[in-house]
Amino acid sequence: MNANVVSHGAAVNIRRATVADAEALAQIGARTFFETFAADNTPEDMRMFLTSTWRPDLQRAEILDPGLDTLLACDAGGALAGFAQLRVAHPPTGIAVRSPVELKRFYVDKPWQGRGLARTLMEAAEQAARARGAREFWLGVWERNERAQAFYRKCGFRKVGTQIFVVGTDPQTDNVMLRELE
Ligand SMILES: CC(C)(COP(=O)(O)OP(=O)(O)OC[C@H]1O[C@@H](n2cnc3c(N)ncnc32)[C@H](O)[C@@H]1OP(=O)(O)O)[C@@H](O)C(=O)NCCC(=O)NCCS
């Protein structure tokens, strides 16, 4: 995958990550998570989550994992503007699926939010999910993350259940959202 697309007048390139991207991926992941969720979590829970999730060695392993697709959206200068990660995985018990792929992470850097890049990245993610044989595309999103839920609804996802996602020591409720890909 290597697509040059225009997102609200700005050129954006969607490509697969390589190990050379591990550090930049760790940075944008930690920064975006912090900017989005710091106000709603204790500093200690944030610290625990960030240090256990966003480190160049961890992102390097993710990029090398053949079971995980890591797609990057880069601006005209090559800087990372957003990313998506997806894998074959089942949603929680009780949600009927045939061939599910999980959108594990989907982040757009703050300066690019609200500018159409998220839609472009989602289209690339869907294409990658189809390439893995997906008939259902699903994700977990914090029940209090209204902006992300509004975006996912615009993309055709609907709420089908809930699951627990632990931030530091805090078990939080994620809404599980799904869309069929036929
Ligand atoms: C979630 C994310 C990818 C969406 O991308 P985006 O560019 O912000 O999405 P859009 O602006 O196209 O759509 C968001 C919608 O939510 C609306 N919105 C904005 N703030 C909102 C809020 N506080 N409450 C409800 N809706 C809100 C916007 O108006 C927009 O709807 P509209 O197009 O009808 O006006 C991006 O915001 C992001 O990466 N956020 C930080 C990380 C994150 O939360 N990732 C998802 C984890 S599951």
Side-chain angles (χ1 to χ4, degrees), residues 77-120:
L80 203 44
F83 68 93
Q85 292 180 305
L86 53 124
R87 63 181 176 182
V88 172
H90 274 262
T93 323
I95 299 172
V97 285
R98 296 153 300 174
S99 182
V101 167
E102 178 191 13
L103 183 57
K104 180 177 156 61
R105 295 188 184 124
F106 192 83
Y107 287 29
V108 167
D109 205 4
K110 209 172 181 57
W112 285 91
Q113 292 174 14
R115 295 175 60 189
L117 185 145
R119 176 73 77 155
T120 301

Side-chain angles (χ1 to χ4, degrees), residues 41-61:
N41 288 278
T42 67
E44 179 59 14
D45 283 337
M46 283 301 284
R47 194 193 58 74
M48 281 176 68
F49 184 82
L50 292 175
T51 54
S52 64
T53 309
W54 299 110
R55 284 200 325 256
D57 61 312
L58 297 176
Q59 273 62 66
R60 187 175 191 281

Side-chain angles (χ1 to χ4, degrees), residues 118-137:
R119 176 73 77 155
T120 301
L121 186 58
M122 180 61 81
E123 284 164 8
E126 281 175 21
Q127 199 180 320
R130 287 178 199 276
R132 285 193 180 266
R135 297 178 75 178
E136 296 88 13
F137 203 19

Side-chain angles (χ1 to χ4, degrees), residues 114 116 118-119 147-157 177 179:
R119 176 73 77 155
R147 179 171 193 140
Q149 290 177 61
F151 170 74
Y152 295 136
R153 280 193 297 272
K154 282 197 299 184
C155 294
F157 289 84
M177 299 181 79
R179 62 165 296 203

